[in-house]
């Protein structure tokens, strides 16, 4: 009732305004009013639709960002696991002598007499990782023996990488032998031991 009472003066003023118009002017005026209302409704719909589209776009962008973050986290955890495995292998072989390791590999495949030399070429360090380069020479072996030797060296668990190889052949068809010069890198962790005389942390300390 209060709302109707509030609208009554407006209705009376509107009725008086329309009553003074000719039928033609009244139609034009009503057409303008209807067009104005229609335009206002369309504008409200257009603005609302634009806001919803913008909101949907922002939500999609955030969802994509969260998905990428999830992928990055999975990749980080996978890499961290691989790094932990590599470090464990490095620690396990920290006290193993590389030359002795190569000699055992040659003995395993029966070419101990053909292993001519294992020479250290240089050392480099990146952070806590130490890399030693070696030259390994194997003389007068068959292709099968060389293949088995390389497999034994690579699959034996020592953290190493074959950088390059040079292979020469000698002999006639059917009795041909190979001479191989291998360049290898062996890795180890440089983990400094606790300093002598350094105080031990108190019991229960974090």
């Amino acid at each position: 009732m209060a709302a109707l009472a509030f609208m009554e003066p407006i209705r009376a003023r509107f009725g008086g305004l329309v009553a003074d118009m000719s039928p033609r002017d009244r139609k034009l005026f009503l057409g303008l009013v209807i067009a104005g209302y229609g335009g206002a409704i369309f504008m409200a719909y257009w603005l609302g639709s634009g806001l919803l589209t913008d909101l949907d776009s922002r939500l999609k962008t955030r969802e994509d960002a969260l998905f990428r973050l999830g992928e990055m986290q999975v990749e980080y955890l996978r890499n961290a696991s691989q790094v932990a495995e590599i470090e464990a292998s490095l620690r396990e072989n920290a006290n193993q002598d590389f030359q002795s390791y190569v000699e055992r590999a040659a003995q395993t495949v029966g070419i101990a007499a053909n292993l001519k030399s294992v020479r250290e070429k240089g050392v480099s360090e990146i952070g806590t990782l130490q890399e030693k380069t070696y030259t390994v020479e194997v003389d007068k072996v068959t292709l099968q023996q060389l293949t088995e030797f390389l497999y034994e060296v690579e699959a034996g668990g020592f953290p190493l990488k074959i950088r390059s190889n040079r292979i020469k052949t000698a002999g006639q068809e059917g009795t041909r032998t190979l001479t191989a010069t291998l360049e290898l890198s062996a890795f180890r962790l440089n983990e400094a031991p606790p300093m002598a005389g350094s105080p031990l942390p108190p019991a229960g300390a974090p």
Side-chain angles (χ1 to χ4, degrees), residues 4-50:
L4 292 175
F6 173 77
M7 292 292 296
E8 193 62 33
I10 298 176
R11 291 177 60 186
R13 183 177 299 177
F14 182 78
L17 182 63
V18 173
D20 294 336
M21 293 182 179
S22 64
R24 180 174 177 277
D25 292 340
R26 190 179 302 141
K27 290 181 180 180
L28 289 174
F29 178 73
L30 291 175
L32 289 174
V33 171
I34 293 172
Y37 274 111
I41 293 172
F42 174 77
M43 182 63 68
Y45 171 79
W46 181 78
L47 290 175
S49 177

Side-chain angles (χ1 to χ4, degrees), residues 11 27 46 51 53 71 118 120 139 143 156 164 171-173 178 180 183 185 199 203:
R11 291 177 60 186
K27 290 181 180 180
W46 181 78
L51 289 174
T53 301
E71 287 186 325
V118 180
E120 182 179 328
D139 187 37
L143 177 61
S164 65
Q172 301 298 322
E173 187 71 28
L178 307 175
E183 302 289 337
S185 291

Side-chain angles (χ1 to χ4, degrees), residues 98-99 117-122 133-137 181 183:
F98 179 77
Q99 181 170 347
S117 64
V118 180
R119 299 194 307 271
E120 182 179 328
K121 292 182 61 180
T133 55
Y134 293 87
T135 299
V136 177
E137 294 183 0
T181 302
E183 302 289 337

Side-chain angles (χ1 to χ4, degrees), residues 8 23 47 57 71 77 79 110 122 130-131 145 148 170 180 191 194:
E8 193 62 33
L47 290 175
S57 176
E71 287 186 325
L77 293 175
N79 291 337
Q130 180 190 80
E131 177 183 355
Q145 288 173 325
E148 291 176 355
E191 295 182 314

